[in-house]
Every structure is written in structure tokens, then in C-alpha cells.
Amino acid sequence: MSLIVQKFGGTSVADADRIRNVAKIITDTYKAGNNVVAVVSAQGDTTDDLIAKAAEINPAASKRELDVLLSCGEQISMSLLAMAIQKLGFPVISLTGWQAGLKTDSAYGNARIKQIDTDRLNAELDKGKIVIIAGFQGINKYDDITTLGRGGSDTTAVAFAAALKADLCQIFTDVDGVYTADPRIVSDAVKLDEISYDEMLELASLGAQVLHNRSVELAKKYHVNLEILSSFKNVPGTKVKEVVNVEKMLVRGVTRDNDIARISIIGLPDEPGIAFKIFSLLAQKRINVDIILQSIGRCNTKDLSFTVAKPNLDAALSILNDNINSFKGKSITYDDHISKVSIVGAGMESNPGVAAKMFEALYDANINIQMISTSEIKISVLIDRDDSEKAVKAIHERFKPAD
Amino acid sequence: MSLIVQKFGGTSVADADRIRNVAKIITDTYKAGNNVVAVVSAQGDTTDDLIAKAAEINPAASKRELDVLLSCGEQISMSLLAMAIQKLGFPVISLTGWQAGLKTDSAYGNARIKQIDTDRLNAELDKGKIVIIAGFQGINKYDDITTLGRGGSDTTAVAFAAALKADLCQIFTDVDGVYTADPRIVSDAVKLDEISYDEMLELASLGAQVLHNRSVELAKKYHVNLEILSSFKNVPGTKVKEVVNVEKMLVRGVTRDNDIARISIIGLPDEPGIAFKIFSLLAQKRINVDIILQSIGRCNTKDLSFTVAKPNLDAALSILNDNINSFKGKSITYDDHISKVSIVGAGMESNPGVAAKMFEALYDANINIQMISTSEIKISVLIDRDDSEKAVKAIHERFKPAD
């Protein structure tokens, strides 16, 4: 008998019909002789509705109270899903984050999982019950409700799979796997049968919105076998694991991220410690910086450019402008009409021609590259937003398997 | 410094404006130098909406899962109320039933309070915080969420007032106190300044929907000073306590209850144990019986009539018809177009003319009495539904103070 953890996102449980559909998936898995733990997100727009209610009353409400409010979203969907499974005649129990033993730190709104006490969970599984768990939520040492922030339900599922030593963790979503590019942009994008944790991590970080990277990190750390598949189509998905079969295509995926902005600080003095000062300021505000480019400017000054997530742009500009004298910058500019287009593939490192091939594809498509960043398994370029679809298509075409 | 428990019902927190209004009431009480614990119901129709969601998925869902679902209603309103109080600049924390230490038995959907652990609550009050508690909910020994059933938020408020030895428990609602009759029926109904627990108990049982009788029972048992007042009008309400000042009016209230039905069993044998059999059957189905009338019929048989709450009518008829042979009844009839009209007043017992005066008022109004029931402090009559408003007016007119 295997133990399978299944995670269902908000669109998968958006209404009564979809909840019934998810109940069918879960009970089919159970009927096949498996123990099943299902982690569920809030229904469709519930979280947004609750945030709107809070914003109407107090846009500056404490994160503790916001977490109390938002955690209801998953509590509602988990109980409805349990009812749908009861209707099909199977033994089931729903558990909130705290009932399921998920302990976190106290960073309300973005809590980290510290520990999972599986006693209650194991007791319910021993009784032969299907267990439904509210995703995205836990409890801190004060017995206060916390939420895990973006991608929290994926992370919850992987964490329980790790704690329970589950044989498989299936992430059900509205796409049926990981593709070599967004099928809405590239019509001949190919679904991958398998992908490595590292490749998936890069894809997740680079804007492929299939799986949150925190959950992939956790899966890699605890060797959790992941599968990404559709709750609407009964077809095999993409398996994420340590080592994957070599496939025909060297590049595993082409991604695009529109949710970024570039900031440039012009005319910095060419002296030590300047970059450190700037990035410390941003780190204090918890603003992550992505691609960084430092160029020698004119007259012994240099320019520094970097990208931030678009929601952080205003905060970043504000802290930088307030402190422009401390790092002796002349001016600060920004561009929020850009995209980051990336290719990911574990074999890339040992194939020096890959970058050249990507840049050639962009050159042939007459697309200007603003900034470049590389890691062992990915190459990212920053380009104008208007060119981004064209870029993804051109790169995908250049790398696609010659079948 | 006094400790005041305030309870706000669903209409009092129905939308953002009303939540702000409640926040104002609470913080005004706090500013006046009191510790405040506020118990809050779910917003307006939230509970009904959640029940509808459940019914769409599984009309026979387990009560445990229903409680998980329904408890979200209060969790949402308590966090929104806390946010509104934060906005006014006061220290506040919201606590769910389990966080506030409310322990119940395991009768999901209709749980009884077993114990309240006030450690967390007292710790928050010691920090100077206003504490908002989700009404209607608790936790059982399995760490599962329970709800208290009808009137649960009133009961929650009184229970916390008792456990914390509060100086006062204020029940805010959409009426500004207890009236001698429903002001929508009787235009010159008078608001009572004070009423005794016993009188309030009878009024609550008899259909005056101001306060649930479980909460009044609890208040009487633990000597909790209650006040019923409006969250919309800033006027004194009605105080409920052990001993009240004698007022001009002997009868404290005239009530009407439309939510009942009469069942008659015709042609029962005139032998011992028959009534016992019938009421045992109903008790097994947890159906409460109210007014009972047994009459000698013809030919050595008798008829038995009694009233039940209307939602129980179908279940009662079903169990009686299934077992009609066991108690040797000839036929079963029912009437669900009736009302119970009652008068309540502590001084009634020592004033033998009261019943006669009530019956005379009904006679003068040409209203036929079907059944009569009396206790030490109330007299109830069963009449045709169509006569009920006329009856309430006529009785109130007859008993009103001659000022």
C-alpha cells in the first residue's frame, strides 16, 4: 500500500462540480489501494474576496489578523471537499493546518514551516480515512494561525509528503504538466515526461507558474517524488525527481517573466563598497534583486543596473532615492516595460554552444538584448516587453527536437 | 476598572460600515476605562451561504464537517472587527473558540460548553488588549471544532462573562431592549428597564427572539448581569438580573410564536402507559413536546394533543404513524396553522385574576382558544394563526399600565 499526497489548487475546487471532480480523483486513488492525504487551496477567488473585505475596513490591518481571515478560505474548501467524499461513500476527515500539526515560525503572511507533528494524521490514516488538509496555513508557538505566503499550498503538500515519507506527491493544477514553453505562446511546445529538481527550480524561478520554487526546494531537500498533472484531463503529467532520463532536447524549457522591472543607478563613484551599500538597503526592505549588471561609465564613474520583482519597484525606488547621497549616485532610472526570457536545461553547462545559439536566435529575430545572466543550468536575457513573445517563439524553434 | 463582555449579532456586523460602528462601541467602552471582551457572530447571511454551499455538495454531510465549515463565518467577522479596531488605533487581538479556550462536548452542531480555560484570554487582557472572540464555536476533546447551535453566540458571551467574572454582559442586537410585546404588532408596546432571569427565560422560550433561553439559563446559574441593547441606537436597553424593581405592569410581556404545530392522536385506549409510549418515541428522536392536552373521548377512548416546533413536525408524524399500532391509536391529525400567544410576569402566580383577564380579552375579541398551558409565571394559549396579531393586541391592551 502506497501513501500518496495530492494537492489541488484553487481553480480545481472553484465550484461544486469541480469539487465533485476532485473527490472522484481522490477516491479513485484510494480505491486503487492507496492511503491518500489531499492538500487543498481556497476556492477560486475566495482569497481575493477576503483580502478585499479586509482592505475595505483597514488597508493597514496587521498581518496576524489577515492570516486569521485568509486561513478561512482553505478551511471552507477542505470541509466542502470532505463532504463531497462522504457523498461518494468513503471515510474522510478534514484537518486545518493546526489540527494537522503544521508548526511554523511567526512571520505572519509568509511563515516558514518549522515542524510537522504527524500523530493525528497517522492516527486518522490508520483508521483508513482519507485526510483532507487545508493548505497554506499553520500555527506558531503562540497558538496563532499563520499563512505561508505565495505558493503555500504547494509547499504544504510537499512538506506533508516529506514528513509522512509519502511515495508520491501529486500536484494537480489547471495545466497537465511542464512544457518546453508556454503553449499559449508557442503552439508546438512539448510536454516533458520528466524534469530534474534543479531544472524545475530554475523554471519556477523564471516565471513558469506551474509550481512555486519553495515547494521544489523542499522536494529536492527531502527527495520527494513530485508529479505535476491536470485535475481536468486524465493524462500523465510531468515527474520531477533527482535524476531524469536524457531526452532529445538539450534545453528543457523556454520561459518568460513579465513581472519584473529594471532599475539603473547612474554615475556611481568607482570605489569599493558602493554596491554593498545599495544592496544592503534593498535587503533591509526584503527586496530581492535578480540580474545585476555593472558597467564602467564615463569620467571614472560606473552605472549599476539590476532587476526587481515589479511589486517591489516602488519600494525599491523610494529607499534608493531617499539614500542617493549615501552611495553618491547621480540619478536613478527605471524601466518596467521589460521581460526576462530564459532557457533552462541541466546539460547546458557542458555545451558551450548553447548561449551562442540562443543569442543568434534573438539576433535573427532582430531582438535587442539589454542584459544577460547565466547560471549552470539557465541563461536569461532582458529584452523589451513587446519583443517577448517573438523571442520565446524564436528560441523555442531554434532548440526544438529535430523529430 | 470593570470587565465588560459585549456580544454583537450577525446584523450588527453585516457590512463594513456596521463593523466600523461596532468597533466604535467597543473602543468607546474601552476608552471609558473598561477591559472589553467582544463576542461576535458571523456576518449577516454568511452562515446561510455556507449552509447552501454544503447542501449543494452533500445534503447529508456529517455534522463534524458542517461545524468546520460554519465556524469560518465567525472567524471571518472576528478578524474584520479586529482590523476595524486597529484602524481606530487600539490594541486588539481576535481569538477563535479554541484559541479562547472554549471546550465543549462532541455533539457537533449543538455542542454544550464544558469548560473555559481563560489563561490565554487573561494574558491578552493583562496586556491591555481588547479581545474579540468568535461566538458559536468551541473545541472538543479530540481537538475538533464544534458549534453550539441556535443562539450559540449569546451563550458564548454569557459563558465568557461567567468564566471571567465580568461585571456586565451586554448583548447588542437590532432591537433596543425587551418590550412588553412585539412593537411591530403592538404600536404602544413598552420597553422594560429591567426583567428577571425567570421572566426572560419564559419570554425567550415563548418566541420573543431577543435572547436565546440557553444563554439566559446560563446567566441565571452564574449570576451574570445581562443587558440587552441596540447596536444602532445609543439608548439604555433592558437589564436582566436576579431581582427587579416592581413596575406598574403585572404582565411583563405578550409574545407570539408561529413556529409550532399541533399534533392530535385520536382514539387512544384509556389504559396506563400510553402517553409514556408516545412521548418516549418522540424523545428518542430528540423531539421536544410543548403544550399537552389529554381529553376523555367517546367509547372509553381518549385523545391526546400536543405541540412541537414546526421543523420537527414531519419527523414527529413519521415516527408516530410508523408506530401507531404500538400505542393503539385510531388516527393522527395535525394543524400547522396555529400560534401560541403567551403572557409572562413574575407576579402572576399570586394574582389569580390574571388568567381570567387574558381569556376575557380573547373572548371579547372573538378568538377561540384551542389549548391552554400555564406555569408559575406564564400563561400560553393556542389559537388560529389568523387570530394571532389580534390576540396579541387585545391582550396587551387589557394589561397595559394605566398611565
Side-chain angles (χ1 to χ4, degrees):
Chain A
M1 179 182 278
S2 296
L3 171 59
I4 299 181
V5 175
Q6 300 184 318
K7 182 259 171 179
F8 299 93
T11 51
S12 299
V13 292
D15 57 35
D17 278 340
R18 290 191 176 177
I19 287 175
R20 284 186 204 106
N21 172 53
V22 166
K24 179 81 168 45
I25 293 173
I26 291 171
T27 54
D28 282 350
T29 311
Y30 182 86
K31 267 194 291 190
N34 302 293
N35 277 321
V36 185
V37 172
V39 174
V40 67
S41 301
Q43 288 188 283
D45 299 327
T46 306
T47 304
D48 289 341
D49 291 347
L50 291 173
I51 288 173
K53 273 192 178 228
E56 189 185 358
I57 283 174
N58 184 354
S62 75
K63 287 184 175 169
R64 183 209 181 262
E65 296 299 336
L66 269 172
D67 280 0
V68 171
L69 181 69
L70 295 185
S71 65
C72 293
E74 284 74 26
Q75 192 170 328
I76 290 170
S77 56
M78 78 172 195
S79 56
L80 294 175
L81 180 54
M83 292 172 192
I85 290 171
Q86 287 176 346
K87 174 98 176 169
L88 297 177
F90 292 86
V92 63
I93 189 163
S94 74
L95 300 175
T96 61
W98 61 268
Q99 288 174 327
L102 194 146
K103 311 286 172 80
T104 73
D105 63 18
S106 291
Y108 297 108
N110 196 24
R112 293 262 157 185
I113 298 171
K114 295 195 75 166
Q115 192 191 325
I116 293 183
D117 293 341
T118 54
D119 292 356
R120 170 92 196 248
L121 245 173
N122 279 321
E124 301 294 350
L125 290 172
D126 286 348
K127 289 184 213 158
K129 287 195 184 171
I130 295 166
V131 181
I132 313 293
I133 299 176
F136 179 70
Q137 60 179 253
I139 192 175
N140 66 15
K141 64 179 172 184
Y142 307 111
D143 273 0
D144 282 343
I145 294 167
T146 53
T147 70
L148 307 184
R150 262 186 81 188
S153 290
D154 291 343
T155 308
T156 304
V158 174
F160 277 106
L164 295 166
K165 299 189 179 20
D167 299 279
L168 180 61
C169 179
Q170 296 182 310
I171 309 285
F172 287 86
T173 173
D174 48 359
V175 298
D176 59 358
V178 180
Y179 279 76
T180 51
D182 186 338
R184 288 167 299 188
I185 298 177
V186 179
S187 57
D188 59 351
V190 177
K191 187 168 75 180
L192 299 170
D193 296 331
E194 297 185 327
I195 190 169
S196 73
Y197 293 125
D198 288 334
E199 289 171 328
M200 192 63 224
L201 260 180
E202 289 287 5
L203 284 179
S205 313
L206 293 171
Q209 291 167 357
V210 179
L211 206 56
H212 197 267
N213 55 358
R214 267 169 78 181
S215 60
V216 185
E217 276 168 23
L218 205 61
K220 177 177 154 78
K221 184 169 173 188
Y222 292 102
H223 310 287
V224 173
N225 286 317
L226 277 182
E227 186 178 4
I228 296 151
L229 62 182
S230 167
S231 59
F232 304 114
K233 280 193 280 182
N234 188 11
V235 293
T238 299
K239 294 205 163 76
V240 189
K241 37 175 143 170
E242 203 77 60
V243 181
V244 303
N245 296 330
V246 177
E247 292 186 23
K248 278 178 282 184
M249 194 164 169
L250 181 67
V251 169
R252 310 287 284 188
V254 184
T255 67
R256 175 181 68 158
D257 186 358
N258 287 342
D259 199 29
I260 58 167
R262 177 186 51 76
I263 295 176
S264 295
I265 307 176
I266 311 296
L268 292 165
D270 191 8
E271 58 187 51
I274 292 293
F276 165 74
K277 262 186 200 156
I278 290 168
F279 294 126
S280 298
L281 283 168
L282 295 169
Q284 278 165 27
K285 295 284 171 185
R286 294 177 170 270
I287 296 170
N288 278 327
V289 169
D290 189 19
I291 306 180
I292 301 170
L293 185 80
Q294 185 174 298
S295 65
I296 306 295
R298 288 154 302 180
C299 314
N300 287 331
T301 64
K302 57 189 180 183
D303 303 338
L304 185 68
S305 295
F306 50 85
T307 56
V308 297
K310 203 181 271 177
N312 291 333
L313 176 62
D314 288 344
L317 290 174
S318 159
I319 183 93
L320 292 172
N321 279 311
D322 288 351
N323 293 277
I324 191 162
N325 292 329
S326 79
F327 50 79
K328 303 172 198 158
K330 290 228 166 49
S331 65
I332 296 169
T333 64
Y334 72 92
D335 183 356
D336 60 358
H337 194 70
I338 53 169
S339 292
K340 179 168 64 173
V341 172
S342 312
I343 58 175
V344 171
M348 209 176 269
E349 195 190 10
S350 47
N351 282 271
V354 172
K357 205 167 163 184
M358 178 186 189
F359 301 156
E360 185 188 33
L362 292 169
Y363 175 77
D364 288 348
N366 200 25
I367 294 166
N368 187 39
I369 300 173
Q370 298 182 12
M371 289 165 75
I372 298 169
S373 160
T374 63
S375 81
E376 293 182 355
I377 64 167
K378 68 124 207 223
I379 304 170
S380 297
V381 296
L382 216 65
I383 58 173
D384 191 272
R385 171 81 43 86
D386 295 337
D387 290 331
S388 66
E389 287 206 9
K390 195 167 61 166
V392 170
K393 282 179 186 157
I395 296 167
H396 191 269
E397 181 66 27
R398 192 65 55 111
F399 284 101
K400 82 173 177 186
D403 53 7
Chain B
M1 178 182 280
S2 295
L3 172 60
I4 299 182
V5 174
Q6 299 184 319
K7 183 259 170 179
F8 299 91
T11 50
S12 300
V13 293
D15 56 35
D17 278 340
R18 290 190 176 178
I19 287 177
R20 283 185 205 108
N21 172 54
V22 166
K24 179 80 170 44
I25 293 173
I26 292 172
T27 53
D28 282 350
T29 310
Y30 182 84
K31 269 194 291 189
N34 303 294
N35 277 321
V36 185
V37 171
V39 174
V40 68
S41 300
Q43 288 186 283
D45 299 328
T46 307
T47 304
D48 289 340
D49 290 347
L50 291 173
I51 289 173
K53 274 192 179 229
E56 189 185 358
I57 284 173
N58 184 355
S62 75
K63 287 185 175 169
R64 183 208 181 263
E65 296 299 336
L66 270 172
D67 280 0
V68 171
L69 181 69
L70 295 184
S71 64
C72 293
E74 285 73 26
Q75 191 170 329
I76 290 170
S77 57
M78 78 173 196
S79 56
L80 294 176
L81 180 53
M83 292 173 193
I85 290 172
Q86 288 176 344
K87 174 100 177 167
L88 297 176
F90 292 86
V92 62
I93 189 164
S94 74
L95 299 176
T96 61
W98 61 269
Q99 288 175 327
L102 194 145
K103 311 286 172 82
T104 74
D105 63 18
S106 292
Y108 297 108
N110 196 26
R112 293 260 156 187
I113 298 171
K114 295 195 76 166
Q115 190 192 328
I116 293 184
D117 293 341
T118 54
D119 293 355
R120 171 90 197 249
L121 246 173
N122 279 322
E124 301 295 350
L125 290 172
D126 286 348
K127 290 183 212 159
K129 288 195 182 168
I130 295 167
V131 181
I132 313 294
I133 298 175
F136 177 69
Q137 60 179 254
I139 192 175
N140 67 14
K141 64 180 172 184
Y142 307 110
D143 274 0
D144 282 342
I145 295 167
T146 54
T147 70
L148 306 184
R150 261 186 82 189
S153 290
D154 291 343
T155 309
T156 305
V158 174
F160 277 107
L164 296 167
K165 299 187 178 22
D167 299 279
L168 180 60
C169 179
Q170 295 182 311
I171 309 285
F172 288 85
T173 173
D174 48 357
V175 298
D176 59 359
V178 180
Y179 279 76
T180 51
D182 186 338
R184 287 167 301 189
I185 298 177
V186 179
S187 57
D188 59 352
V190 177
K191 188 169 73 182
L192 300 169
D193 296 331
E194 297 185 329
I195 190 169
S196 73
Y197 293 125
D198 287 335
E199 289 171 327
M200 191 64 225
L201 260 179
E202 289 287 7
L203 284 179
S205 313
L206 293 170
Q209 291 168 356
V210 179
L211 208 55
H212 197 267
N213 55 356
R214 267 170 77 180
S215 60
V216 185
E217 276 168 22
L218 206 61
K220 176 177 156 75
K221 184 169 174 189
Y222 292 101
H223 311 287
V224 173
N225 285 317
L226 277 182
E227 186 177 5
I228 295 151
L229 62 183
S230 166
S231 58
F232 304 115
K233 280 194 280 181
N234 188 12
V235 293
T238 299
K239 294 206 163 75
V240 190
K241 38 175 140 170
E242 203 77 59
V243 181
V244 303
N245 296 329
V246 176
E247 293 185 23
K248 279 178 282 186
M249 194 164 169
L250 182 66
V251 169
R252 311 287 284 188
V254 184
T255 68
R256 174 182 68 158
D257 185 358
N258 287 342
D259 200 29
I260 59 167
R262 178 185 51 76
I263 295 175
S264 296
I265 306 176
I266 312 296
L268 292 164
D270 190 9
E271 57 186 50
I274 292 293
F276 165 74
K277 263 185 198 156
I278 290 168
F279 295 125
S280 298
L281 282 168
L282 294 169
Q284 278 164 27
K285 294 283 172 186
R286 294 175 169 271
I287 296 169
N288 278 326
V289 170
D290 188 20
I291 306 179
I292 300 170
L293 186 80
Q294 184 173 298
S295 65
I296 306 293
R298 290 158 299 182
C299 314
N300 287 331
T301 64
K302 57 189 180 186
D303 304 337
L304 186 68
S305 295
F306 50 85
T307 57
V308 297
K310 203 180 271 177
N312 291 333
L313 177 61
D314 288 345
L317 290 174
S318 161
I319 184 91
L320 292 172
N321 278 312
D322 287 352
N323 293 279
I324 192 163
N325 290 330
S326 79
F327 50 78
K328 303 173 199 157
K330 290 230 167 47
S331 65
I332 296 169
T333 64
Y334 72 93
D335 183 356
D336 60 357
H337 195 70
I338 54 169
S339 292
K340 179 168 64 174
V341 172
S342 312
I343 58 175
V344 171
M348 209 175 267
E349 194 190 10
S350 47
N351 282 272
V354 172
K357 203 166 164 184
M358 179 184 186
F359 301 155
E360 185 188 33
L362 291 169
Y363 175 77
D364 288 349
N366 200 25
I367 294 166
N368 187 40
I369 300 173
Q370 298 183 12
M371 290 166 73
I372 297 169
S373 162
T374 63
S375 81
E376 292 182 354
I377 63 167
K378 68 125 208 221
I379 304 169
S380 298
V381 296
L382 216 64
I383 59 174
D384 191 271
R385 171 80 45 84
D386 295 337
D387 290 330
S388 66
E389 287 206 8
K390 195 168 61 166
V392 170
K393 283 179 186 154
I395 296 168
H396 191 268
E397 182 65 26
R398 194 62 56 111
F399 284 102
K400 81 172 178 188
D403 51 8

